[in-house]
Amino acid sequence: MRLFRLTLATIFQRKSWAVCLFVVGTFPFALPLISSATEKPILIQPARIQTAWACLWLCTLLWGLYTSAKKGESNARSGIGEYFQTNGTHRIRQLFEIWLATFCFIAPLVVLTILISHFGAIPTDPREHAAWLALNLQYGTLFILVVAPLMALSTSLASRFGGITGFSGSLLLSVYGLYGVGYLDNMLKLEENPLLRALWTYSPQYRYADLTQRLYFKTGALPADAFLLTALYFTGILAVFAVISSLCFRSHK
Amino acid sequence: MPGSTSIFLHGGLLVGGAVAWALAAAAIQKRPELDIPLNVLGINRSPYGEVLALAVQGPIDQSFQVGIYGSIGIRKWDEVPPKNHWDTSIRDFSIGRLISTMDAVSQINTNPKPVSPAHRLYLRSQAEKKLRFAYNLDPSQYSNYNSLHFFLTEPAVGSHKQLTPAAEALAHQTIAYCLKQTNDPRPSLTAAAACTNLLDLMVSDYRFGNKKHTSREMREILALLDRCLAEYESISRQWEAGGQWQLLSPMRFQECQDRHTFILKIRHAARTSVANLENPSAPTPQR
């Protein structure tokens, strides 16, 4: 796991992860002070939930995907990938170790967000506590299932086409999956189009992993069968993206 | 890793993943409880949306004018701020004056041709998009709701406003949303404003010969208006008891009081109008 340790140390040394930690750790407590929660204290907890998860999404999609892309590109361009290949580390293993190193900085952010969302915004009624914890854990699981393959895709695209392509490609795909499909759905409701409908049906619909509204409006945890179905959906996407990433990844130019 | 094993592994993952993706996608789309409306970062109808809705009130007024009149630009060069803006001596120079002069100059309209009908239509549609965006940030926001309502009912042709289906749907949607907000008295005022808008247009339509809305419907809306104002008074008393009015700035508090007074007057006028429609021969009660 030498490449993993090297990548982990390099990312740690750059210290930009500290900005994400600061944002995810403090904004949920600071930002509600500039919302209408100052006039209505009852809104502080919903504002905190919204800020916590929005900051996690932004930090992961901006910093996480960017760092993955940079590491993928530098591994291919600097000769490190070639060195590890000659020393017996297969390119797919290299991709896995780089991905794991970046993921080690994202996972604590997810845990921190779940803790803030659970303890910082828990409903008063004790009967809702178990469902609240379940919903937060469901959200964390779906978030990781969505973000993990995107990070691998970013690394592999960057190793072959450069850092900018890797980062922007995976970022645009994630934004499309979160919000673009919603716009497409609204357009299709106005006027049906079979081609666009097929595109919409088989697009990665990351919006199903965005459970912020369920937390915000306290509609309760996802039913077990719905959660398993959604998890299966994102696992399918993960498998396909894993194959694409492993085929696309290059360890040297 | 041997080549054939790698091929089988890749192939298996690809096929298995694609099958799981396709089957689960079809199954998920049949579950309406998993579907949520588009709401980027959850801003709409959130505490941050409420603050943004307040912030965009100024630009929304501009959008409204652009949509109705076609432009907000000052027509001619000599209608620019008075000449003494330019005839200042060096002693009177300040960055503030320079910026305000540049601001005025930037809005000068030097095109002698008036806005064409096609361009006017385009500006109208753009204005409506902006007004809807502001409304969606916080549907209980009094000014943004009223701006959108007045825009929707501004007649493109003809001389009197009509209760269009879009305006009616907007009013009912706003009332439904506002009456759910029991932690703040101000949405009830917006709901009351929506009721008064409905009544105003129903009565106006009736007077111009469109008897689509009966006096019974108007009575129902009057009852809803009474309910909205009762909600406002009830939550307002709770806020007074809890000291929550102190959390508002004096300007917001005064704005709320003014709107309440205004709606009470409109309610009185609406009751009189509906009574007159039901009983045209009865003498008009004096104030």
Side-chain angles (χ1 to χ4, degrees), chain B residues 51-71:
Chain B
V51 165
L52 274 175
L54 278 175
V56 301
Q57 275 179 111
I60 282 308
D61 288 340
Q62 263 196 7
S63 293
F64 184 90
Q65 288 195 51
V66 166
I68 300 295
Y69 303 116
S71 78

Side-chain angles (χ1 to χ4, degrees), chain B residues 103-173:
Chain B
D103 196 39
V105 165
S106 71
Q107 293 183 36
I108 290 173
N109 184 349
T110 58
N111 188 352
K113 242 180 88 174
V115 177
S116 71
H119 191 204
R120 191 182 283 270
L121 197 65
Y122 167 74
L123 287 172
R124 241 192 118 89
S125 73
Q126 291 302 103
E128 187 181 334
K129 275 188 200 153
K130 287 190 183 137
L131 289 166
R132 265 207 195 274
F133 167 75
Y135 168 77
N136 282 327
L137 282 172
D138 181 14
S140 66
Q141 219 281 326
Y142 189 94
S143 347
N144 292 344
Y145 157 71
N146 277 309
S147 299
L148 180 56
H149 170 81
F150 290 130
F151 187 81
L152 289 175
T153 53
E154 189 65 27
V157 289
S159 58
H160 70 272
K161 293 188 181 200
Q162 293 177 348
L163 184 58
T164 56
E168 194 173 353
L170 178 74
H172 286 295
Q173 179 191 338

Side-chain angles (χ1 to χ4, degrees), chain B:
Chain B
M1 196 182 280
S4 57
T5 316
S6 170
I7 291 170
F8 280 126
L9 196 60
H10 278 106
L13 267 178
L14 191 64
V15 169
V19 166
W21 181 345
L23 290 178
I28 284 176
Q29 276 146 36
K30 292 192 183 103
R31 303 282 299 249
E33 71 265 27
L34 291 176
D35 196 16
I36 44 163
L38 177 65
N39 191 354
V40 176
L41 290 176
I43 287 275
N44 289 346
R45 302 180 178 204
S46 72
Y48 302 105
E50 288 175 17
V51 165
L52 274 175
L54 278 175
V56 301
Q57 275 179 111
I60 282 308
D61 288 340
Q62 263 196 7
S63 293
F64 184 90
Q65 288 195 51
V66 166
I68 300 295
Y69 303 116
S71 78
I72 51 159
I74 302 162
R75 196 75 195 118
K76 293 175 198 150
W77 176 254
D78 49 14
E79 286 172 26
V80 161
K83 287 267 167 44
N84 59 18
H85 259 244
W86 303 103
D87 295 341
T88 51
S89 68
I90 294 291
R91 263 194 314 246
D92 295 333
F93 174 81
S94 78
I95 291 290
R97 286 177 77 105
L98 175 67
I99 290 173
S100 64
T101 310
M102 287 200 296
D103 196 39
V105 165
S106 71
Q107 293 183 36
I108 290 173
N109 184 349
T110 58
N111 188 352
K113 242 180 88 174
V115 177
S116 71
H119 191 204
R120 191 182 283 270
L121 197 65
Y122 167 74
L123 287 172
R124 241 192 118 89
S125 73
Q126 291 302 103
E128 187 181 334
K129 275 188 200 153
K130 287 190 183 137
L131 289 166
R132 265 207 195 274
F133 167 75
Y135 168 77
N136 282 327
L137 282 172
D138 181 14
S140 66
Q141 219 281 326
Y142 189 94
S143 347
N144 292 344
Y145 157 71
N146 277 309
S147 299
L148 180 56
H149 170 81
F150 290 130
F151 187 81
L152 289 175
T153 53
E154 189 65 27
V157 289
S159 58
H160 70 272
K161 293 188 181 200
Q162 293 177 348
L163 184 58
T164 56
E168 194 173 353
L170 178 74
H172 286 295
Q173 179 191 338
T174 307
I175 293 166
Y177 177 80
C178 290
L179 287 178
K180 282 190 205 146
Q181 315 301 315
T182 51
N183 53 30
D184 189 346
R186 292 169 292 173
S188 313
L189 273 184
T190 309
C195 292
T196 58
N197 289 336
L198 281 171
L199 279 166
D200 172 42
L201 291 173
M202 281 179 178
V203 167
S204 164
D205 278 349
Y206 198 93
R207 287 208 175 113
F208 278 97
N210 176 4
K211 294 191 179 4
K212 183 180 155 201
H213 296 283
T214 60
S215 69
R216 202 175 69 107
E217 278 179 59
M218 294 184 208
R219 285 269 162 217
E220 279 168 18
I221 302 290
L222 264 176
L224 187 55
L225 173 58
D226 289 337
R227 186 187 146 197
C228 293
L229 284 168
E231 275 286 314
Y232 170 80
E233 275 143 27
S234 153
I235 304 173
S236 181
R237 276 194 296 273
Q238 284 172 26
W239 267 35
E240 218 165 299
Q244 276 178 268
W245 282 116
Q246 317 305 326
L247 295 171
L248 266 63
S249 67
M251 198 177 82
R252 295 268 154 255
F253 179 73
Q254 192 53 49
E255 190 181 64
C256 194
Q257 300 289 85
D258 292 342
R259 285 170 181 168
H260 182 226
T261 314
F262 177 70
I263 290 182
L264 285 174
K265 288 185 188 155
I266 299 285
R267 176 172 70 168
H268 175 80
R271 278 177 179 161
T272 316
S273 303
V274 174
N276 284 345
L277 284 178
E278 285 171 336
N279 218 347
S281 55
T284 318
Q286 298 300 316
R287 285 187 75 115

Side-chain angles (χ1 to χ4, degrees), chain A residues 55-186:
Chain A
C55 286
L56 179 66
W57 277 108
L58 285 171
C59 286
T60 308
L61 293 182
L62 295 177
W63 181 86
L65 293 182
Y66 176 71
T67 307
S68 304
K70 266 196 71 148
K71 292 303 148 206
E73 186 188 32
S74 72
N75 190 64
R77 291 223 171 128
S78 64
I80 289 182
E82 193 168 1
Y83 164 73
F84 276 105
Q85 182 123 24
T86 53
N87 274 297
T89 311
H90 190 264
R91 66 181 185 85
I92 293 177
R93 182 156 173 138
Q94 287 183 35
L95 170 63
F96 171 72
E97 290 188 24
I98 294 171
W99 170 85
L100 188 63
T102 327
F103 186 75
C104 284
F105 287 88
I106 299 293
L109 297 179
V110 180
V111 170
L112 184 59
T113 306
I114 291 175
L115 289 173
I116 291 173
S117 177
H118 181 69
F119 292 108
I122 197 164
T124 339
D125 188 352
R127 289 173 299 179
E128 289 182 282
H129 288 185
W132 192 255
L133 179 64
L135 179 53
N136 277 304
L137 291 175
Q138 284 177 345
Y139 197 169
T141 310
L142 293 178
F143 180 85
I144 288 173
L145 281 175
V146 161
V147 152
L150 284 169
M151 285 165 58
L153 187 68
S154 176
T155 305
S156 62
L157 285 176
S159 70
R160 190 172 282 269
F161 303 115
I164 295 173
T165 311
F167 172 58
S168 54
S170 50
L171 181 65
L172 285 173
L173 182 64
S174 48
V175 169
Y176 169 69
L178 282 170
Y179 308 120
V181 289
Y183 278 112
L184 198 56
D185 191 28
N186 287 345

